[in-house]
Amino acid sequence: MTFKQIIARGLELGLEAVEIYATTSESNTLKLDEGKLESYNIQNIFGVSIRGLLNGKMGYVYTETLDEEAIEQVLKQLVENVKLINATEEEFIFAGGATYQDVPAIKADYKNHSTSEKIALLKELETSTKAVSDKIVKIGYCQYSENLEKVEIINSKGLDLMREFSYMSAFVGAVAAENDQTVLGISGDINTEFDKIEKERIVQEASSNALDQLGATFVKSGKYPVVLKRDVATDLLSAFSSVFSGDAALRKMTSLTDKVGQKIMGDNITIVDDPFYQDALVKSPFDDEGVPCLTKTVVEKGVFKGLLHNLKTANYFKTTSTGNGFRMGANGAVTTMPTNLYIKEGTFTKDEMISSVEDGIYITEISGLHAGLNPISGDFNVQSSGFLIKNGKLDQPITLFVTSGNFYELMNNVEMIGNDIEKRFINTASPTLKIKSLAISGK
Amino acid sequence: MSVKHVEVFGINEKVAKEILSTALATGGEFAEVYMENQTSESLQMRSGKLASANVSKVKGAALRIIKDDTEVNCSITEYTPENLLQAAKNLATSFDGRCSTELKPFVEKDVELVVNPQKIRGNDNSQELQLLTDTSVAAMSYSEEVVQVIANLTKQEKKIFVFASDGTWQTDHRCNMRLSCQVVASDGQDMQSANNSFGRNQGMEMFEGFDPKQFGHDIAKDAVEMLHADQIQGGEMPVVIHNGFGGVILHEACVHGLEATSVAKGMSVFCGKLGTKVASDIVNAVDDGTNLNAWGSINVDDEGTPSQCNVLIENGILKSYLVDKKNAKKMNHPITGSSRRESYKYQTTSRMTNTYFLNGHSTFDEIIKNTKKGLFAKKMGGGSVNPATGEFNFAVDVAYLIEDGKITKPVKGATLVGSGKDVLLKIDMIADNLACGYGVCGSASGSVPTIVGQPTIRVSSMTVGGKGGNE
């Protein structure tokens, strides 16, 4: 069936409005192991999410086939399901007719390059990384992939939109070993031009991330001033970005709901959500409901400016959509998510920040964020590794300690902000941050 | 078995042979087609009202060819015989040899069913809605401090069909169903959430004898208790990890490092350790895909190999890895019926099913009584591990202090970290109260349902993270 036919059939079955969200995703992934191609994976996936409105309630179904019998079955199920819903928040389907910012299409050039060039790239990455030091005993991961994502949104109210983007990525995981210790160092690059993939940087970072951690010891428990590497600060911001979500507010899963206009972070903190950020890899003129995206300041000099909304949450909180109605995957319902969320840069270099610390810790890696944080209270406890800082200089590497804190307390205790934000980012970015004090649990 | 190949997937032996021969025409040693039809339904109740009722149908196939150590794989949505044949042709161009492998005749193995879902869907959703309502109401009425209750019921019914050049011709029918609930408690200042879940690979008959009111009540009790708990002060201490979901320690600290994905590449701290001591003498652990209707059980794995009980650790000695067809050859290790994938969109590989420590000889009371000062981790949250280094972490959702052999006050905000190489060697007491938790494990081949389980255990010393204290 065509999209138009599906919409017409949905209306016939009694739905007041019907919307199609169709995704096409293509990817090719190559993995190398010890000079040989280990795996070549080709994907071509198509899926359609259909949502329908009845009495202000929304039903969702998803299917990967458009044959008539299957569509008839899911549409009927949609109508039955939507009648069961008795939650009171009203839902909407966007009428279209809006004006959208002109965003140039982001298209990767991987089709101009042969498979053998891609294998050659991986071989070069593997060989060069291994050649850095005898202590690098293995390249555990050496992977290249290219992705294309296309989204079409069409509804019975006249909306008819399409967006597409593609990119390629390469990453390396280097294993360094010495005595009884094994360390993994990872680095990668995401790009749209094959020839511009930053090979030297990947090799340098993957190898030094591993080698620098060799000989890591344990740290004594206590409270320390801490410098968070920009990647670590980015991971934390990303993990807590749901606190700004209108959907989380509707579910009572954030403590910020009633704090619009209040001071929630330090004077030096400004957080922006910018769908058109200059160098960002994904730029969206519209969200997954077809509402125009817009640039907004979420936190300005520590003051909370407002939640990120979709049509439903905006109506519930009696405001307008901020164009943040996005889906979690092709078959997910519309929720609220940031576009390109970042902490505004400061003026310090990373070295200046480290040299300001007499006795503290530089954290270079955290893991366990999916489990070790509470987005409601803001508390987090994460496995960490990094370096001691002694008299303003990086000292001994340290590992297997836990960094504990609270996101809001942390954002009130930022003493210095770096000038080193990664400009070519996806979703979230932060510069290096120096924090007055965090609880560290080790030996 | 209940799935009819030709009816559901439109493939007969002749077509299957044609696809596989095409795939092997350029020198491939092994070719396989995996087909699947999946229907997922999810109901979500928020504060006692149904907020969403969604259905999702996933349908597609994956075709792969293996030659030497190279695997080429292709995942497609529309799996008509013509499309599969075309995909086989395209994939075969990855190699440039001559046909060297003969197809073995298809043989469907007779598998004793360990998973056999019955009541998957009735005429209406009334039983499902009643379960969600009972859970929600019990949680909401526990305390005025309960501000939100989100209850979910998810059903994922899957029919799969695998055929391969080694003669594999196998189907499976699964239904992973799970009730989960999250409760948020608030005193106007602080907010705290707690959750739990109950899942089986079975139809609605799994809820016979299940008490949703007790289930909802207990989660609300945890949320309110943790709301008023003090932050734990971090440091090194003995940790008693309770039964059930506590088994996440075995899952993260050890068994991810036994999966062939890591071992075959030399990327695990457990490489080359078969037959050696990896845990203290009292430790026995299995990965058993054959537990009747259990959440992580399967009749056959996603390569068509019947599931089995794999003894991983026996009296502290490492006995087996978890190995799929491709890695079995590379590692010279028997296939363990462990190859799993979230869907046709992922390349299948070795994964866990139901993984747990076996009972020991102590009792729960003895363990607490013999612990002078430490942490009692009653309910664990999720965790993660880096198999290459063996370093792992996991969150503790509900915890108490142990002082002078007694469980005293509740504490929150604990995270445990350690190294897989030594934590299992530090297990010094194991109780006799084996129980299971219902997890979803995310790894190389996507998210798959897995049981994590154990009796109560004591680890003599672990690093506990937490922000309390007054240094």
Side-chain angles (χ1 to χ4, degrees):
Chain A
M1 281 176 97
T2 66
F3 296 158
K4 290 247 153 66
Q5 286 168 327
I6 296 172
I7 290 173
R9 184 64 189 139
L11 295 174
E12 257 173 44
L13 288 170
L15 294 168
E16 290 155 11
V18 181
E19 186 170 271
I20 305 263
Y21 179 86
T23 49
T24 305
S25 82
E26 291 173 17
S27 76
N28 295 307
T29 306
L30 293 99
K31 295 179 189 168
L32 194 81
D33 188 32
E34 315 220 312
K36 283 195 292 189
L37 188 66
E38 182 195 10
S39 158
Y40 182 30
N41 188 19
I42 306 162
Q43 289 206 336
N44 200 333
I45 316 282
F46 173 73
V48 171
S49 169
I50 308 168
R51 59 177 190 160
L53 200 64
L54 190 66
N55 298 324
K57 320 283 189 228
M58 190 81 79
Y60 284 82
V61 291
Y62 170 82
T63 170
E64 293 180 347
T65 168
L66 295 185
D67 72 54
E68 206 169 329
E69 198 185 328
I71 294 290
E72 183 71 14
Q73 199 193 351
V74 294
L75 281 175
K76 283 188 172 151
Q77 192 149 17
L78 197 167
V79 174
E80 287 309 305
N81 283 350
V82 77
K83 287 177 186 163
L84 291 175
I85 297 172
N86 61 357
T88 48
E89 309 91 44
E90 193 178 354
E91 306 226 24
F92 303 89
I93 279 183
F94 191 58
T99 321
Y100 301 103
Q101 181 122 345
D102 199 19
V103 174
I106 300 174
K107 254 192 153 156
D109 67 352
Y110 54 77
K111 289 204 167 132
N112 305 336
H113 296 267
S114 67
T115 304
S116 50
E117 281 178 81
K118 291 156 195 172
I119 295 172
L121 166 81
L122 288 176
K123 284 186 176 166
E124 187 187 336
L125 285 173
E126 189 180 54
T127 315
S128 312
T129 311
K130 212 160 171 201
V132 172
S133 162
D134 290 347
K135 290 176 185 165
I136 293 181
V137 292
K138 171 148 188 80
I139 305 305
Y141 306 99
C142 188
Q143 182 172 325
Y144 164 87
S145 58
E146 46 203 33
N147 296 70
L148 179 141
E149 307 282 342
K150 182 175 149 191
V151 171
E152 291 164 272
I153 314 172
I154 297 153
N155 71 29
S156 58
K157 292 185 158 188
L159 194 76
D160 188 349
L161 297 169
M162 200 270 276
R163 69 165 181 257
E164 184 180 308
F165 72 94
S166 55
Y167 60 92
M168 58 200 112
S169 62
F171 86 95
V172 165
V175 181
E178 195 174 38
N179 302 324
D180 197 24
Q181 193 199 7
T182 311
V183 192
L184 179 69
I186 293 177
S187 179
D189 185 36
I190 302 175
N191 220 309
T192 52
E193 290 174 70
F194 185 81
D195 291 329
K196 289 200 177 159
I197 291 176
E198 297 176 1
K199 290 180 274 191
E200 290 80 16
R201 181 178 61 78
I202 296 175
V203 170
Q204 193 275 327
E205 284 181 0
S207 54
S208 62
N209 285 347
L211 294 168
D212 295 351
Q213 272 290 313
L214 283 176
T217 56
F218 298 104
V219 61
K220 197 171 156 283
S221 299
K223 294 216 157 87
Y224 293 87
V226 166
V227 177
L228 300 175
K229 187 179 176 179
R230 67 178 189 184
D231 312 43
V232 170
T234 299
D235 286 349
L236 270 178
L237 176 66
S238 172
F240 279 107
S241 64
S242 74
V243 303
F244 305 122
S245 151
D247 199 51
L250 195 145
R251 288 182 287 118
K252 301 194 177 76
M253 292 289 180
T254 171
S255 59
L256 291 183
T257 311
D258 303 322
K259 295 199 175 141
V260 179
Q262 290 182 30
K263 191 90 184 329
I264 57 164
M265 295 178 183
D267 292 339
N268 54 355
I269 302 293
T270 292
I271 302 177
V272 179
D273 182 48
D274 183 359
F276 317 115
Y277 187 80
Q278 184 70 34
D279 298 309
L281 282 160
V282 181
K283 295 180 197 181
S284 305
F286 49 86
D287 69 9
D288 288 342
E289 296 189 291
V291 174
C293 289
L294 53 104
T295 303
K296 68 213 83 70
T297 305
V298 182
V299 175
E300 190 171 17
K301 296 183 177 156
V303 177
F304 182 47
K305 303 301 279 184
L307 295 161
L308 305 177
H309 285 297
N310 59 28
L311 291 170
K312 172 169 88 171
T313 66
N315 178 68
Y316 183 85
F317 291 104
K318 297 188 174 59
T319 176
T320 50
S321 172
T322 56
N324 289 93
F326 288 97
R327 294 172 182 248
M328 286 273 259
N331 63 349
V334 170
T335 171
T336 48
M337 280 189 272
T339 57
N340 299 311
L341 187 77
Y342 66 94
I343 296 175
K344 236 178 158 174
E345 279 186 310
T347 53
F348 297 99
T349 64
K350 186 189 86 183
D351 292 342
E352 283 169 345
M353 296 165 80
I354 287 169
S355 62
S356 76
V357 178
E358 200 174 314
D359 180 16
I361 291 172
Y362 178 49
I363 299 179
T364 54
E365 208 180 308
I366 52 175
S367 41
L369 270 170
H370 67 295
L373 65 81
N374 182 335
I376 303 173
S377 65
D379 288 341
F380 62 87
N381 295 282
V382 288
Q383 179 192 334
S384 315
S385 55
F387 300 85
L388 290 175
I389 306 174
K390 290 252 167 75
N391 301 318
K393 292 215 168 63
L394 290 188
D395 197 76
Q396 181 72 29
I398 46 176
T399 190
L400 270 187
F401 59 92
V402 178
T403 307
S404 304
N406 179 285
F407 180 63
Y408 301 108
E409 281 170 34
L410 183 144
M411 285 300 184
N412 271 304
N413 281 305
V414 177
E415 290 185 328
M416 295 167 96
I417 301 179
N419 59 3
D420 57 351
I421 195 166
E422 164 65 85
K423 295 197 165 55
R424 216 151 34 84
F425 70 94
I426 288 187
N427 293 338
T428 327
S430 169
T432 300
L433 301 176
K434 183 196 165 190
I435 315 299
K436 193 175 164 193
S437 163
L438 281 172
I440 301 292
S441 306
K443 287 285 161 182
Chain B
M1 260 192 225
S2 48
V3 188
K4 296 277 183 291
H5 312 138
V6 183
E7 270 177 42
V8 178
F9 297 101
I11 297 287
N12 57 35
E13 286 204 19
K14 185 171 163 281
V15 173
K17 276 184 188 155
E18 198 184 343
I19 296 167
L20 295 175
S21 321
T22 306
L24 294 177
T26 55
E29 292 153 4
F30 174 80
E32 174 195 81
V33 174
Y34 166 91
M35 305 175 78
E36 103 177 272
N37 274 4
Q38 199 191 100
T39 301
S40 303
E41 296 176 293
S42 72
L43 295 168
Q44 183 175 87
M45 201 169 264
R46 220 151 53 208
S47 295
K49 292 219 158 105
L50 193 71
S52 68
N54 301 341
V55 181
S56 145
K57 286 180 183 287
V58 167
K59 185 181 169 188
L63 192 152
R64 63 172 172 160
I65 309 170
I66 300 175
K67 183 178 192 287
D68 301 322
D69 288 333
T70 304
E71 170 174 319
V72 293
N73 178 81
C74 167
S75 303
I76 57 170
T77 314
E78 291 284 340
Y79 60 51
T80 58
E82 300 75 44
N83 285 356
L84 283 171
L85 204 57
Q86 189 57 48
K89 261 183 211 157
N90 292 348
L91 265 195
T93 62
S94 309
F95 304 109
D96 54 8
R98 297 179 55 172
C99 181
S100 58
T101 307
E102 225 170 277
L103 294 187
K104 292 211 175 116
F106 294 123
V107 180
E108 181 171 5
K109 285 189 192 126
D110 195 18
V111 180
E112 195 185 330
L113 292 187
V114 294
V115 171
N116 191 8
Q118 300 295 322
K119 293 186 229 162
I120 295 175
R121 60 185 65 75
N123 296 323
D124 59 47
N125 277 316
S126 55
Q127 197 193 346
E128 287 85 345
L129 293 174
Q130 195 59 50
L131 265 173
L132 290 169
T133 306
D134 288 348
T135 303
S136 303
V137 171
M140 290 188 299
S141 56
Y142 174 77
S143 157
E144 283 179 1
E145 288 179 325
V146 171
V147 294
Q148 178 67 286
V149 176
I150 297 178
N152 289 291
L153 184 69
T154 55
K155 282 183 204 178
Q156 187 191 62
E157 188 194 7
K158 201 187 245 196
K159 289 173 180 175
I160 69 153
F161 172 35
V162 194
F163 60 91
S165 57
D166 62 0
T168 300
W169 184 274
Q170 217 71 41
T171 60
D172 201 3
H173 181 206
R174 308 166 188 160
C175 180
N176 282 100
M177 177 138 37
R178 186 159 81 146
L179 173 70
S180 60
C181 178
Q182 182 179 22
V183 175
V184 182
S186 170
D187 56 4
Q189 294 287 316
D190 202 3
M191 287 176 112
Q192 184 71 35
S193 75
N195 60 73
N196 202 0
S197 63
F198 171 59
R200 291 182 73 74
N201 194 346
Q202 207 175 12
M204 287 299 287
E205 65 274 17
M206 68 178 263
F207 292 108
E208 282 160 24
F210 175 80
D211 184 354
K213 291 176 183 159
Q214 190 69 46
F215 177 73
H217 169 276
D218 291 349
I219 301 167
K221 183 167 176 275
D222 284 341
V224 171
E225 185 162 47
M226 283 302 111
L227 177 67
H228 299 290
D230 290 334
Q231 296 279 353
I232 186 169
Q233 183 179 341
E236 239 193 328
M237 61 188 83
V239 178
V240 175
I241 304 174
H242 204 27
N243 64 0
F245 206 81
V248 69
I249 185 170
L250 173 66
H251 180 104
E252 300 296 356
C254 174
V255 188
H256 267 304
L258 302 182
E259 292 170 333
T261 349
S262 304
V263 181
K265 294 188 72 176
M267 289 288 286
S268 164
V269 287
F270 294 104
C271 283
K273 294 274 166 73
L274 277 186
T276 68
K277 190 173 162 69
V278 295
S280 66
D281 295 346
I282 57 171
V283 172
N284 290 283
V286 299
D287 183 86
D288 188 350
T290 70
N291 295 150
L292 205 60
N293 297 314
W295 172 244
S297 290
I298 41 181
N299 293 310
V300 294
D301 73 3
D302 292 335
E303 291 177 339
T305 306
S307 61
Q308 61 186 50
C309 176
N310 295 299
V311 175
L312 303 176
I313 299 171
E314 193 174 24
N315 301 325
I317 307 293
L318 184 63
K319 294 303 229 187
S320 179
Y321 297 118
L322 296 175
V323 185
D324 53 285
K325 283 182 181 172
K326 181 188 172 199
N327 287 308
K329 204 179 133 204
K330 197 169 173 185
M331 291 165 65
N332 192 23
H333 186 288
I335 295 165
T336 58
S338 309
S339 194
R340 306 183 73 188
R341 63 197 335 162
E342 178 181 325
S343 74
Y344 72 95
K345 295 167 192 172
Y346 295 83
Q347 284 170 275
T348 192
T349 191
S350 52
R351 301 289 295 271
M352 288 175 245
T353 59
N354 306 302
T355 318
Y356 44 90
F357 288 124
L358 299 181
N359 273 328
H361 300 295
S362 304
T363 65
F364 173 74
D365 291 340
E366 281 165 13
I367 293 180
I368 300 295
K369 215 179 282 175
N370 279 291
T371 306
K372 185 128 182 65
K373 196 166 189 292
L375 180 75
F376 173 46
K378 187 180 162 207
K379 268 173 70 183
M380 304 295 288
S384 67
V385 67
N386 177 343
T389 64
E391 292 182 355
F392 64 81
N393 65 78
F394 33 73
V396 187
D397 284 350
V398 181
Y400 303 83
L401 290 183
I402 306 174
E403 292 166 300
D404 287 325
K406 288 196 186 77
I407 293 170
T408 57
K409 63 174 192 162
V411 283
K412 66 179 160 193
T415 285
L416 307 180
V417 298
S419 163
K421 269 187 301 200
D422 54 44
V423 71
L424 297 186
L425 291 162
K426 289 186 187 164
I427 296 175
D428 63 358
M429 290 181 94
I430 301 182
D432 54 1
N433 56 354
L434 173 65
C436 290
Y438 312 93
V440 175
C441 170
S443 184
S445 60
S447 296
V448 297
T450 52
I451 273 189
V452 293
Q454 66 169 36
T456 304
I457 63 165
R458 185 173 78 175
V459 181
S460 60
S461 162
M462 274 190 100
T463 301
V464 180
K467 70 171 182 152
N470 46 13
E471 308 101 288

